[in-house]
Amino acid sequence: MKGRARAGGLRARLFALSLALGAGASAAGAQECRLALVLGFDVSASVDAREYRLMMGGTAAALRDPAVRAALFAGVPVALAAYVWAGRREQAVVADWVVIERDTQLAEFADRLEGYARPTGDPLGRWGGRTGVGAALAAGSRLLARAPVCDRQAIDLAGDGENNDGPDSLLLNGITVNALAVAGNMPLDEFGALDGVRLYYARRVIQGPGAFVIEAQGFGDFARAMRVKLLREVSPPLLGAL
C-alpha cells in the first residue's frame, strides 16, 4: 500500500510538473517576435507644422494599409516603438514597445503616432531644432536595449537633412538601420538635380544586413514611401531565402 501511495504521489508530482512546463512553453511561445522595429522621426527646424502632420499622419496611414497589416500579422509578431528627434540632446518617446498581435494594438499604435503633439521643450530648455543624426541613432539603440526579445532589431530613421549637431553617425552592432530620406529641403535637392539627402543617408546612416534607403519626394509623398518601406521591413522572409 505504501509503495502504491508513493507511486501515486510521484505520478501526481510529475503530472503537475508537466503542466507547469507546458504553461512555461506557452508563455515563451507568446513572447516570440521576429522583428523589433523602432521608428524615428526628424522634428528639426526644417520640418514645419504642416510637414510634421504629413509625416506622422502618413505613417499612421501606412500602418493602417491593408497590405502592411497583412504583412505585420503574417506569422510570428513584430514589436514596434517610435520616437522623435532633433538636436543631439532632443529626443522623446512617442510610443513605447508593443508586440503587435491584435488589430486593436496596431490601431492604438497608429492613433498614438497621428495624435502625438510636436514637442516644444525638454528638461534642458526649448528644443533648438538642430539635426543630430548620430544622437538620433543612439536614442534608437537605447530603445532597442529594452525591446522585447526578437530575432532581429532595426531602426527606421526618417529625415530631410544632414547632421549639424554632434556626431553625424554611429556604428551599431547587430542592428539594421534603414532610412526614409525626404527630398526637397537641401540645396540642389529639388527635381532630382542632386539626391543630397538620399546619398547622405546611404553613405552615413544605413547599416546592417540588407539595409536600404527609400526616398520620399517631399512630405506629401511620405505616406507612400513609408508604406513601401514598412512592407519591405516587416514582410516575413521567403523560405527560399533562408
Side-chain angles (χ1 to χ4, degrees), residues 120-193:
T120 57
D122 66 11
L124 300 173
R126 187 173 182 83
W127 282 43
R130 294 178 68 81
T131 304
V133 174
L137 290 173
S141 70
R142 288 194 296 272
L143 267 172
L144 283 169
R146 57 181 183 80
V149 177
C150 300
D151 294 335
R152 296 182 294 123
Q153 293 189 329
I155 298 173
D156 187 340
L157 207 67
D160 71 340
E162 294 185 13
N163 178 78
N164 58 26
D165 193 17
D168 69 348
S169 191
L170 181 67
L171 182 61
L172 302 172
N173 293 323
I175 297 173
T176 297
V177 179
N178 300 320
L180 196 163
V182 185
N185 281 356
M186 288 179 64
L188 302 180
D189 199 33
E190 298 279 3
F191 311 114

Side-chain angles (χ1 to χ4, degrees), residues 73 209 218 233 237:
F73 291 118
E233 287 168 329

Side-chain angles (χ1 to χ4, degrees), residues 4-237:
R4 286 197 296 271
R6 283 196 296 270
L10 178 60
R11 284 195 295 271
R13 287 195 294 273
L14 288 173
F15 180 68
L17 178 61
S18 70
L19 288 178
L21 290 174
S26 298
Q31 294 302 312
E32 288 181 353
C33 170
R34 70 176 185 265
L35 171 67
L37 176 64
V38 57
L39 310 174
F41 302 99
D42 179 0
V43 295
S44 60
S46 61
V47 180
D48 63 28
R50 170 184 164 275
E51 292 168 339
Y52 176 77
R53 290 192 299 272
L54 287 170
M55 178 170 61
M56 304 305 277
T59 303
L63 288 167
R64 296 174 185 134
D65 179 84
V68 173
R69 284 182 62 259
L72 281 166
F73 291 118
V76 178
V78 171
L80 297 177
Y83 66 107
V84 292
W85 58 275
R88 62 187 174 89
R89 298 186 302 183
E90 300 163 341
Q91 303 95 28
V93 175
V94 175
D96 215 336
W97 288 106
V98 57
V99 179
I100 305 296
E101 297 178 293
R102 300 186 300 276
D103 272 328
T104 53
Q105 292 172 310
L106 181 59
E108 289 169 2
F109 190 89
D111 291 346
R112 174 69 176 167
L113 266 58
E114 189 169 34
Y116 186 76
R118 183 173 182 158
T120 57
D122 66 11
L124 300 173
R126 187 173 182 83
W127 282 43
R130 294 178 68 81
T131 304
V133 174
L137 290 173
S141 70
R142 288 194 296 272
L143 267 172
L144 283 169
R146 57 181 183 80
V149 177
C150 300
D151 294 335
R152 296 182 294 123
Q153 293 189 329
I155 298 173
D156 187 340
L157 207 67
D160 71 340
E162 294 185 13
N163 178 78
N164 58 26
D165 193 17
D168 69 348
S169 191
L170 181 67
L171 182 61
L172 302 172
N173 293 323
I175 297 173
T176 297
V177 179
N178 300 320
L180 196 163
V182 185
N185 281 356
M186 288 179 64
L188 302 180
D189 199 33
E190 298 279 3
F191 311 114
L194 176 66
D195 294 326
V197 67
R198 183 185 65 81
L199 289 178
Y200 172 77
Y201 274 86
R203 292 170 176 170
R204 302 295 301 152
V205 178
I206 67 169
Q207 55 190 281
F212 63 93
V213 180
I214 293 291
E215 187 175 55
Q217 297 301 315
F219 282 91
D221 189 37
F222 197 94
R224 178 206 63 82
M226 179 58 79
R227 176 185 178 277
V228 171
K229 188 152 67 62
L230 285 172
L231 280 173
R232 187 165 170 180
E233 287 168 329
V234 307
S235 295

